[in-house]
Amino acid sequence: MITIVIGTDPSQYVAQRVLEYTIRKHTSAEIKIIAGQQTQKRLGGTRFGFVRFLVPSLCEYQGTGIYMDADQLVLGDVAELAATVQPPHAIGIVRNIEGTFGGKPVEPRNETSVMVLDCARLTDWDPDTIFDQVVPNDQQPGPGQIRYKDFIRLGWVDQDLIQSIDPRWNHYNMVREDTRLIHFSHVREQPWKRPEHPMTALWEEWLQAAMGAGYISRTDIFKAVSRGRIHRHFLRHVLKVA
């Protein structure tokens, strides 16, 4: 069993459900998907930034857990992704990111928007205490504290536990024939918000497939448009004759 936790919030519901569909479409492995929403105070980044650190506890500190942001599409088999982390490592992430953010190349870093975790080796990731010393990015950290951006990028983790995985599992705003996962990382530029995005047609194909498979209803689309969560361009999927 592979457990996949998707960090999400109500504004990302449609994208989240499309992602879920693409995950299941590309694997025959036994998987469990959990849509995780952040209950802790937001200190920076997205509204679900802390969810990724809940994966080991949600897996009861057993087996392999995978984390993904909601604003992604999976084009490869997650069983392949789950098998990437090998001892002595416990955390698999993309470091040498391929693609762009806001039109600029992404610099190498510990990118945690996709993570593969050996949950049995991360028992210190206790959701009741792990965030206690995290402070906002604009605050000077005190003794034992860490800024949000450094926390998210695993600045507090033993770096020997981290394994760099294939960049194809977190392609930023790009797609190639060998892409395993597309990450629409720039929130204001996501294709469901901006129809002129160069990959809107691709994302919309997966939206249509997810609707056909029952993952998303026309009511879901209408509500998302009416609340400004996706562009009115997608109302055409509500108006189609059954």
Side-chain angles (χ1 to χ4, degrees):
M1 169 75 76
I2 303 169
T3 299
I4 301 169
V5 178
I6 298 174
T8 190
D9 65 48
S11 72
Q12 295 287 328
Y13 178 74
V14 171
Q16 167 208 320
R17 292 293 286 167
V18 175
L19 170 59
E20 290 182 34
Y21 174 75
T22 64
I23 291 170
R24 294 192 184 277
K25 180 68 175 178
H26 291 101
T27 190
S28 59
E30 184 180 1
I31 62 172
K32 176 183 179 181
I33 297 177
I34 299 173
Q37 297 193 32
Q38 182 170 312
T39 58
Q40 296 82 10
K41 180 181 178 181
R42 182 183 180 186
L43 298 178
T46 65
R47 296 184 181 90
F48 47 83
F50 284 154
V51 172
R52 67 201 69 194
F53 301 106
L54 305 180
V55 175
S57 62
L58 290 170
C59 293
E60 298 181 346
Y61 301 102
Q62 299 176 25
T64 299
I66 293 175
Y67 173 80
M68 297 177 182
D69 282 351
D71 54 353
Q72 301 174 351
L73 292 176
V74 167
L75 304 179
D77 189 340
V78 290
E80 173 190 328
L81 176 61
T84 56
V85 173
Q86 300 294 327
H89 307 292
I91 303 166
I93 57 172
V94 171
R95 280 174 158 156
N96 297 313
I97 303 164
E98 297 176 343
T100 62
F101 181 87
K104 298 179 181 179
V106 186
E107 295 182 357
R109 65 188 188 206
N110 285 345
E111 179 49 57
T112 61
S113 52
V114 175
M115 289 200 292
V116 185
L117 304 170
D118 182 347
C119 296
R121 300 186 61 204
L122 299 170
T123 55
D124 57 333
W125 289 24
D126 182 350
D128 292 332
T129 60
I130 194 172
F131 309 117
D132 290 351
Q133 303 304 315
V134 185
V135 299
N137 294 329
D138 60 359
Q139 182 175 322
Q140 182 64 35
Q145 293 182 327
I146 184 170
R147 285 192 176 99
Y148 176 84
K149 64 180 180 180
D150 297 321
F151 181 81
I152 288 291
R153 295 183 184 174
L154 304 177
W156 51 284
V157 169
D158 178 354
Q159 299 300 292
D160 289 339
L161 290 176
I162 301 174
Q163 177 178 333
S164 185
I165 64 175
D166 191 328
R168 294 179 299 169
W169 278 105
N170 203 345
H171 270 170
Y172 261 51
N173 301 298
M174 63 171 280
V175 62
R176 298 192 310 236
E177 287 187 4
D178 63 348
T179 296
R180 297 291 185 267
L181 182 148
I182 308 170
H183 186 181
F184 300 108
S185 57
H186 196 216
V187 173
R188 293 190 300 275
E189 299 292 313
Q190 290 165 333
W192 46 95
K193 297 178 181 177
R194 182 175 167 264
E196 60 270 29
H197 189 289
M199 282 187 280
T200 293
L202 172 64
W203 183 81
E204 194 165 9
E205 287 179 13
W206 287 109
L207 169 65
Q208 290 176 300
M211 291 182 72
Y215 279 69
I216 301 163
S217 69
R218 293 178 184 177
T219 299
D220 292 329
I221 297 294
F222 180 79
K223 286 181 178 178
V225 171
S226 66
R227 294 169 182 171
R229 293 170 176 171
I230 66 174
H231 195 275
R232 62 182 180 275
H233 165 87
F234 299 100
L235 277 175
R236 60 186 184 166
H237 298 286
V238 176
L239 302 175
K240 282 184 177 179
V241 177

